[in-house]
Amino acid sequence: GIDAMTIEKLVRLKSGMNATVAGFVDGDEDAVRKILSLGIVPGDELEVLATWPTVVFELGSTSYALDSELAGRILVTPKRV
């Protein structure tokens, strides 16, 4: 079959996983604006460092901590190891 790229919500990744930002969940412009204002844009590569109590990930040389609601708005393509 066709190997479609998997799109997953950032909040569902496990720590230690790498992923590329694919886009954002529509419907909450304030949340998307907040994410973009942090400098997180599609095409960025990130590594998840922790998932509880907040989603912590590293993007470039910056670490971010987002609550699960915001992290649930970020769509990513997990990297297959």
Side-chain angles (χ1 to χ4, degrees):
I2 299 162
D3 185 23
M5 294 226 293
T6 311
I7 301 280
E8 196 58 88
K9 290 179 179 175
L10 175 58
V11 72
R12 300 190 51 160
L13 266 52
K14 295 177 172 60
S15 66
M17 288 180 76
N18 289 284
T20 304
V21 178
F24 309 105
V25 177
D26 290 335
D28 187 342
E29 284 179 26
D30 286 342
V32 171
R33 246 196 303 273
K34 197 180 285 187
I35 294 162
L36 289 171
S37 73
L38 294 171
I40 301 164
V41 295
D44 283 349
E45 297 197 1
L46 56 84
E47 179 183 356
V48 180
L49 303 178
T51 55
W52 185 259
T54 56
V55 178
V56 181
F57 58 93
E58 199 170 61
L59 199 160
S61 55
T62 310
S63 292
Y64 297 87
L66 298 183
D67 61 38
S68 55
E69 191 180 341
L70 269 186
R73 298 244 159 229
I74 302 175
L75 299 173
V76 297
T77 306
K79 282 211 164 68
R80 290 200 175 82
V81 181

